[in-house]
Amino acid sequence: MTDSRSASSEDSDLGSNGSVEEDSHQSQSNDGSNASAGRLTEPSRQWRDIFWLCIFTLHLIGSGFLLALLGMNRFRKPDRLNIDKYTNKISENQAGLTETYWPLYGVAGGVGTVLGWVWLLLLGSRAKQMMKFSVHSLTTYLAVISVLCFWARQIFWGITFAVGAGLQFLYVLSVIDRFPFTMLVLQKAVTMVWNLPEVMRVAYAFTVVMLMWLVLWTFGAAGVVASGIGDGGRWWLLVVLSVSLFWTGAVLCNTVHVIVSGMVFLVLIHGGQEATSMPSRPLLKSLRYAVTTSFGSICYGSLFTAAIRTLRWKIRGLRSKIGNNECLLCCVDFLFNIVETLVRFFNKYAYVQMAVNGKSFNHSARDAWELFQSTGIEALVAYDCSGAVLLMGTLLGGLITGTCAGIWTWYRSSDRVIMVGSTAILVGMILVGLAVVVVESAVTSIYICYAEDPLLINRWDAEFFNQMSEALHQRLQHRSARNREMNRIDAHILQIPSI
């Protein structure tokens, strides 16, 4: 994927043994019927990662109680529950009320829901245009918000959004040559989910579930914004509540991920939804597994996967633009190798394995990674930027949501714009992310199926199969040539006499 001087050990193996991988991949294709037959049997299901299931359940109970307490303390009456006596030393003694700020978060919830549902509705006819709009508009939108923050004398946030705009611009430049292939994969994934209307209904249903939790969360967050605690205390409380909301939203998104992945995988394995071998009520089975035996693994993976994936994208983009700066390249490669190690245990493809086989999260992640490494598909997965493109759409939706809530807050209570606006961004991202995840689930399922049995993709779409095979061949050749060049340079350096 990258053109930097250094490469990970896995890259070296892929590059130096490209022909072997292609032979292995071809051999796996020839034995595809056996792999497909093995998938037709129903795997045994056991409860996985029960510890994290308990932790998440306790977290929901605890955070729910805290949110209700914080919101009720300022609802219709200042300090209704006499909490301020415990915060006298850090209190500003302001008489704000929860209902003053609660409707502002209601705007965020409404805008985020509309954006998510509109995104789903436009999938079939305007998917490519929407993807391009997300990629090219995010940088501009970040820059505009940065200017508005500077105008409002919010220097820290102005600098933050300006840095974000710069990083986004550099990342797009570093991967722009990959967008044609990325758009191809995304379009095929959209075609897949659009032909499965039941998975759309799953996304809508989970959006409603998320809105129900947001009613309580925004009630508590509004109580924090209205509290008499100083700005520092309010920000710390909002950060804690935001982390809780992020984990809850990630769990719901990844639950949808598991449900949709299981459904898409079954359709590809059985050759279509109408196939006679297709099990009865596959969506209900995927839903039952996702919210019971696999739910603990979903809670566990949701803590780390998103952050590690984002960090990996940024480091990969930076490596490709470093050039010949050996010192900087060495530092970045060190970080890159750490992140690549973490990706083995926390990757989005684990959710497909969990949906299909009912394994634990770490076991599923390792199996998916080893499958990609053994077949050479990792070279293609690394080249694809579909996850980053979908994340850009999610970020854009969150920023639009935060802007709408922030503008209204400006007219109601100008000194609380940043508090309400920043948390509203998170609300919008989660709601839009619930819509985006159905496409990402289809993408991950396509790659897993292609790695396990390429003939499944050939049977589904022969033209797309040929395009993926050609892209894989090019990536393996590129890595092989790059590693030969690196070996030649290293040999030349070793021959230089020391001074």
Side-chain angles (χ1 to χ4, degrees), residues 1-3 171 174-183 316-317 320 382-385 475:
M1 170 179 172
T2 59
D3 297 321
Y171 178 76
S174 67
V175 299
I176 195 148
D177 59 315
R178 305 173 196 165
F179 280 166
F181 177 74
T182 297
M183 291 301 173
R316 279 185 178 272
S320 65
Y383 187 69
D384 179 26
C385 300
R475 295 314 304 165

Side-chain angles (χ1 to χ4, degrees), residues 132-163:
K132 289 184 176 180
F133 176 79
S134 299
V135 170
H136 298 297
S137 299
L138 182 57
T139 303
T140 304
Y141 206 94
L142 286 168
V144 170
I145 294 179
S146 174
V147 172
L148 292 176
C149 289
F150 282 121
W151 178 69
R153 297 181 180 178
Q154 297 289 339
I155 306 301
F156 172 78
W157 291 101
I159 294 175
T160 300
F161 283 111
V163 171

Side-chain angles (χ1 to χ4, degrees), residues 282-294:
L283 185 66
L284 289 179
K285 286 187 177 181
S286 295
L287 175 61
R288 185 174 74 250
Y289 294 147
V291 299
T292 55
T293 55
S294 296

Side-chain angles (χ1 to χ4, degrees), residues 102 106 165 256 432 446 466 482:
W102 201 15
V256 176
V432 176
I446 288 172
N466 292 332
R482 185 188 63 189

Side-chain angles (χ1 to χ4, degrees), residues 369-389:
W369 193 258
E370 290 172 1
L371 176 64
F372 288 154
Q373 291 286 322
S374 63
T375 58
I377 306 300
E378 194 274 335
L380 198 60
V381 170
Y383 187 69
D384 179 26
C385 300
S386 57
V389 171

